[in-house]
Amino acid sequence: MASMKRVTLKNGRVVYRIVISLGYDSQGHKLVKNLSYSVNQSSTAREQEREALKYAMDLEDRLKYGREPAGANLLFNDFARKWLEGERENLAAGTYVGYEQLLRSKILPYFKTYRIAHVRTSDIEAFYKMLCREYSPGTIKRYANVLNRIFGTARRWELITENPCQGARKPKKLQEGSQLRYFTPQQALVFLKSLDMSYGRNSRKNLQEGFRCREQEAGEYFGDRRVPIQYRVFFSLSLFCGFRKGETLALCWEDIDFEEREISVSKAIGRTGHGFGYKEPKNRASMRKVPFPESLIPLLTEYRDQYNQWKREPGRDWQGSGNLFVRRDGTLMGQSTAYQYFVSHLKRYNRWVKECPEEAAEKGLTVLPEIPLHGLRHSCATLLNYLEVNIVDISKYLGHASCSTTMNIYTHSFEEQKRAASDRLNEFLCGAIEKGQGI
């Protein structure tokens, strides 16, 4: 029978050292199997002992009478690196680099002492709890996705008998904070109004129109100034057309058809094998033509006139190639510039609402949630659903690979619309019954 010893490691984690006797070889030497098993750290000592004993007995049966998993002696680190290298051809350059960073930063250091076949669901849950102390829900989801893919591949290759990520529960804090952050249709209208506002002299930084907003300077400015026009265009396109940030950054003037009122998306800006630059959109469905409302034409026309004036200014060494969103010399806008300005704009606007409540109430303006820039894309989807656009058209509008992707992302929003549809159906049926009409 297997023997066990309870051991508390320096980091406080409890494991059991298990020794399984496998008989003797032809020369009379004793054959043993030594391993460490990490139990559920939140269980009582008695529950941990029972868990370890069950694992030891099951493993002993497999070793003596069945087949040991092929990955029983394979270190997690070795398999994870092999998995990532094998995925290189299947992943976009930016995704590959992102996975590599996630592995290197937290996953490999945490699981470095584990063998791939010995990682339990409780270990995955303990890893999630550790991440909660320093990372946002969105980042933790990225870690969870990588782990699930690693163990899913190990299961497919029959290195393990089950994927420990499948039953792992994410911490309650993560579950509560994992909802999408976006503007409701009413908040979207308030946001558009905020882009046309002028702010007074209680602001602290003096930024020149449009271009001198560096990433570290994308805060408040001094004096009565409106939001620079290229940011108004950037945010309006993100909200009305649901573009991803990389798609918006890659837009050129030649992509805009003013007569047909549509914008062609054929490329994106993102991480490539050589740093940041142009790349293909996220998937085949992302290459699309997106119509834009007629109300945007005056704003785009104004921006085009201003853009041409910038190009003609004397003494300027213009290096642009037709991109909509650029720096002072015409080169492509920085990766985080629009995000930084968006965050600072929401903070500046909300502070104004709180400092001038009477004027804000008179104009119908309220405090806005401080959502991320990508939240404008989510706001677009929510607005389309609110306007009862069907799911197929929303999916095509956003450039999703399938309708199921759209449904999975926006389940919460769509559930609200289902309830609204049910209320309208109830009103119709009740009204018909009261009037004595047949159905």
Side-chain angles (χ1 to χ4, degrees):
M1 180 177 176
S3 62
M4 302 188 310
K5 180 180 179 181
R6 179 186 176 91
V7 177
T8 302
L9 303 180
K10 291 182 178 180
N11 61 5
R13 187 160 57 92
V14 175
V15 300
Y16 277 80
R17 307 294 191 197
I18 300 174
V19 180
I20 300 175
S21 177
L22 300 175
Y24 298 85
D25 62 16
S26 59
Q27 297 180 347
H29 298 143
K30 189 174 182 179
L31 301 174
V32 296
K33 173 75 174 179
N34 295 280
L35 65 140
S36 295
Y37 175 72
S38 179
V39 293
N40 189 336
Q41 303 301 300
S42 60
S43 300
T44 64
R46 182 59 180 165
E47 291 172 337
Q48 291 175 341
E49 183 180 357
R50 285 199 296 264
E51 178 188 346
L53 179 61
K54 181 179 184 304
Y55 175 80
M57 294 176 65
D58 289 344
L59 180 59
E60 185 175 25
D61 288 342
R62 290 201 304 270
L63 293 175
K64 288 184 176 180
Y65 312 111
R67 181 172 66 87
E68 182 181 10
N73 294 314
L74 182 61
L75 289 173
F76 175 87
N77 274 18
D78 294 338
F79 178 76
R81 295 179 189 279
K82 182 178 179 181
W83 166 82
L84 181 63
E85 190 59 33
E87 289 289 298
R88 181 187 289 270
E89 295 183 357
N90 302 322
L91 300 174
T95 304
Y96 176 84
V97 172
Y99 283 3
E100 185 180 39
Q101 291 174 342
L102 294 176
L103 282 172
R104 184 174 62 252
S105 63
K106 292 294 181 181
I107 295 177
L108 293 183
Y110 187 90
F111 292 101
K112 64 182 179 181
T113 61
Y114 288 80
R115 300 190 185 279
I116 188 73
H118 297 166
V119 179
R120 322 309 303 169
T121 298
S122 59
D123 300 321
I124 302 297
E125 292 179 347
F127 179 66
Y128 292 159
K129 289 181 181 179
M130 183 271 292
L131 293 177
C132 270
R133 293 195 290 267
E134 54 182 309
Y135 290 119
S136 67
T139 300
I140 297 174
K141 278 189 173 184
R142 293 172 60 201
Y143 278 104
N145 177 54
V146 172
L147 277 175
N148 186 56
R149 294 188 63 163
I150 290 173
F151 285 105
T153 301
R155 174 69 181 86
R156 191 171 70 250
W157 291 359
E158 298 185 348
L159 299 176
I160 57 177
T161 56
E162 60 183 17
N163 182 347
C165 296
Q166 292 298 317
R169 295 180 179 178
K170 295 181 178 63
K172 185 177 180 181
K173 176 182 175 183
L174 173 60
Q175 298 281 15
E176 292 176 347
S178 60
Q179 294 183 355
L180 296 179
R181 294 161 62 192
Y182 56 87
F183 292 143
T184 64
Q186 293 73 24
Q187 290 169 341
L189 292 175
V190 173
F191 173 69
L192 291 174
K193 290 181 180 179
S194 76
L195 295 180
D196 288 326
M197 291 177 58
S198 296
Y199 296 87
R201 292 181 175 274
N202 58 346
S203 298
R204 293 180 299 206
K205 284 192 178 181
N206 181 19
L207 302 179
Q208 297 297 325
E209 174 74 14
F211 285 112
R212 294 186 181 175
C213 178
R214 295 294 184 264
E215 293 169 15
Q216 69 271 24
E217 298 178 330
E220 297 106 355
Y221 45 76
F222 182 84
D224 293 325
R225 294 180 181 274
R226 296 177 64 192
V227 174
I229 188 168
Q230 72 166 332
Y231 292 114
R232 280 184 276 146
V233 172
F234 193 108
F235 302 148
S236 296
L237 290 179
S238 300
L239 179 61
F240 282 113
C241 301
F243 295 141
R244 302 175 178 91
K245 184 184 74 171
E247 294 172 345
T248 310
L249 279 174
L251 289 177
C252 296
W253 286 107
E254 63 184 18
D255 296 324
I256 303 178
D257 188 332
F258 282 87
E259 293 185 1
E260 297 294 331
R261 285 195 294 106
E262 63 183 14
I263 299 175
S264 298
V265 178
S266 59
K267 55 190 176 302
I269 295 294
R271 194 187 300 275
T272 67
H274 307 286
F276 282 96
Y278 290 103
K279 65 175 187 177
E280 292 184 355
K282 192 170 185 179
N283 53 59
R284 186 182 296 273
S286 296
M287 301 183 69
R288 63 201 188 277
K289 292 185 177 181
V290 181
F292 61 87
E294 188 173 357
S295 59
L296 279 184
I297 291 181
L299 179 63
L300 288 170
T301 301
E302 179 187 355
Y303 180 44
R304 184 172 58 181
D305 294 340
Q306 180 67 68
Y307 186 96
N308 290 331
Q309 181 179 335
W310 291 331
K311 290 172 61 177
R312 292 191 300 266
E313 284 186 9
R316 174 169 293 168
D317 185 15
W318 186 262
Q319 303 178 42
S321 57
N323 282 89
L324 261 72
F325 304 106
V326 292
R327 294 187 174 96
R328 189 174 184 82
D329 60 359
T331 55
L332 191 65
M333 176 187 281
Q335 284 287 306
S336 60
T337 303
Y339 166 79
Q340 295 287 351
Y341 192 92
F342 179 73
V343 171
S344 69
H345 169 73
L346 288 180
K347 290 181 178 179
R348 181 172 57 241
Y349 164 78
N350 283 337
R351 185 171 62 249
W352 176 85
V353 172
K354 294 174 183 177
E355 292 176 352
C356 309
E358 294 182 0
E359 185 178 353
E362 183 180 342
K363 296 180 178 180
L365 300 175
T366 57
V367 171
L368 290 172
E370 295 184 2
I371 66 173
L373 180 59
H374 195 71
L376 292 179
R377 173 173 164 84
H378 299 323
S379 302
C380 176
T382 303
L383 183 57
L384 291 172
N385 182 53
Y386 175 79
L387 297 174
E388 301 182 354
V389 178
N390 69 71
I391 184 64
V392 176
D393 289 336
I394 294 177
S395 181
K396 292 179 179 178
Y397 201 89
L398 297 176
H400 284 156
S402 65
C403 293
S404 61
T405 301
T406 312
M407 286 298 299
N408 290 336
I409 295 176
Y410 301 108
T411 299
H412 178 71
S413 173
F414 293 163
E415 285 296 327
E416 291 181 353
Q417 283 304 100
K418 285 168 60 179
R419 286 192 289 272
S422 176
D423 292 340
R424 289 196 297 273
L425 179 62
N426 180 68
E427 292 176 3
F428 171 77
L429 293 175
C430 290
I433 293 173
E434 290 176 0
K435 294 177 181 179
Q437 298 175 352
I439 305 301

